[in-house]
Amino acid sequence: MVKHLKHILPVAALALTLAACDGGGKPTGGPIVLGDSSTIVTETDQSQLKDMVTDLNPVIPPAENKDQDPTPTPDTPAASTKPAPAGSATTAPTTAAKPATPAAVAPASSGPGLRAEFEEVTIQIPGLAVKQAGNKNLHRANGAVYTLTSGNVNGGTLQVNGTITKVSQRYQTVVMLHSNMGDMLLEPLSVTTDWKTVKGGNGNYPITGLSEGSLEYYEAEPSDIRNAVQKLTKRRRMNSRKAQALLNSVRNTRNPKQKPLSVELRSVMWKIDGKDAKGRAFSKQVRVDIPL
């Protein structure tokens, strides 16, 4: 009897081992085997497969921060502004887009003026003498850049035709340093405003908010001004005598509107949103640079 058990026990143990190895269950650990479909996990929930990256529309340089549409304000002196410190974020109130207005045609301007003829819309500013940069044919373009040669942008009228849903304006101001070495731009003290909706109708949109007392600017402290001047002297590779003379000229300057500094309008931009004859949305931009 004992002899029979000696032969039976090894056979039973072997059978149990084989059964455990061939259980048919999925592995609960160990490396993933290349080509083994049981180790591949596929996602079937469509909500987890959406592309979270939004489309970007082309803009005219300089490319700038996310467009915002603050509530339009009258042409009154604006409080000076200073860019938020790095890492902080601000949110501007937005204005809901108005329904598309019926097709309107601005009256043709008589005399010289800016005229940008896109495929979907024609944009005019009568009374401005400008020089266009780049390709003169704007039929397929999304924007145009001009340099002002004569005329006054503030107080003019932006004229557009077609079905327009919104017209927006923004601008850039810079701080200039005036000295016996010439007028020099302090680049770190430049500011570009947010987009603001322009009120108008029947294809005419008055250009306001660009008078000297209404311009927004970098509310620089004395240390900001000194740092900007130091960067200027290094960029121009001035010798120590000239660099020190410029630093001494701003030693008692407390803000960008105090001599020998001044706040200047550098460029104005407009964005025209609307729909073409086939009901397709379009967005065009026009920029006018003011020589310093």
Side-chain angles (χ1 to χ4, degrees), residues 1-288:
M1 180 67 178
V2 173
K3 291 181 180 180
H4 289 294
L5 290 174
K6 288 181 179 179
H7 294 289
I8 293 171
L9 289 175
V11 173
L14 179 59
L16 291 172
T17 302
L18 292 174
C21 293
D22 193 24
K26 294 184 179 180
T28 58
I32 296 175
V33 180
L34 184 64
D36 184 357
S37 61
S38 66
T39 64
I40 300 174
V41 179
T42 58
E43 179 61 66
T44 60
D45 185 358
Q46 293 300 318
S47 66
Q48 302 299 323
L49 301 176
K50 292 182 179 179
D51 185 3
M52 301 303 292
V53 180
T54 57
D55 292 334
L56 297 178
N57 294 321
V59 296
I60 304 174
E64 307 136 65
N65 316 275
K66 182 180 178 182
D67 288 348
Q68 296 175 324
D69 299 311
T71 303
T73 57
D75 184 14
T76 54
S80 58
T81 59
K82 181 175 181 178
S88 65
T90 58
T91 303
T94 58
T95 303
K98 296 181 180 179
T101 57
V105 178
S109 60
S110 58
L114 181 153
R115 183 180 177 89
E117 297 185 12
F118 299 100
E119 180 180 8
E120 301 87 350
V121 64
T122 297
I123 302 167
Q124 301 179 93
I125 306 178
L128 293 187
V130 296
K131 181 180 179 181
Q132 184 177 347
N135 189 352
K136 302 296 188 294
N137 187 351
L138 303 177
H139 191 66
R140 298 290 183 181
N142 289 321
V145 178
Y146 301 87
T147 299
L148 182 69
T149 57
S150 67
N152 190 359
V153 179
N154 191 56
T157 300
L158 187 76
Q159 298 179 346
V160 296
N161 61 5
T163 303
I164 305 303
T165 57
K166 189 176 186 181
V167 174
S168 307
Q169 175 182 288
R170 75 190 308 179
Y171 60 85
Q172 182 186 53
T173 59
V174 296
V175 175
M176 299 295 295
L177 170 61
H178 308 282
S179 72
N180 55 10
M181 302 178 209
D183 297 336
M184 290 165 277
L185 172 66
L186 299 181
E187 291 184 2
L189 305 185
S190 302
V191 164
T192 301
T193 67
D194 296 326
W195 289 109
K196 291 182 173 62
T197 302
V198 180
K199 292 183 177 180
N202 296 325
N204 293 281
Y205 297 84
I207 301 173
T208 61
L210 303 177
S211 61
E212 182 179 354
S214 300
L215 295 177
E216 298 180 21
Y217 61 96
Y218 192 118
E219 195 178 51
E221 298 177 355
S223 59
D224 298 322
I225 297 172
R226 288 194 300 271
N227 290 338
V229 174
Q230 286 177 338
K231 289 181 179 180
L232 170 66
T233 59
K234 290 180 180 179
R235 187 175 67 253
R236 295 201 174 190
R237 297 181 179 179
M238 294 183 180
N239 58 42
S240 58
R241 181 179 61 83
K242 290 184 178 180
Q244 190 58 50
L246 282 183
L247 285 171
N248 289 340
S249 70
V250 298
R251 181 172 51 193
N252 298 319
T253 306
R254 295 290 177 263
N255 64 74
K257 286 196 168 185
Q258 184 179 349
K259 292 183 178 180
L261 305 181
S262 67
V263 176
E264 306 289 344
L265 180 65
R266 181 66 182 91
S267 62
V268 188
M269 293 147 275
W270 295 274
K271 181 171 62 171
I272 292 84
D273 298 316
K275 293 184 179 180
D276 63 13
K278 296 182 180 179
R280 296 174 299 191
F282 69 82
S283 183
K284 305 295 180 181
Q285 290 189 34
V286 171
R287 189 180 91 209
V288 175

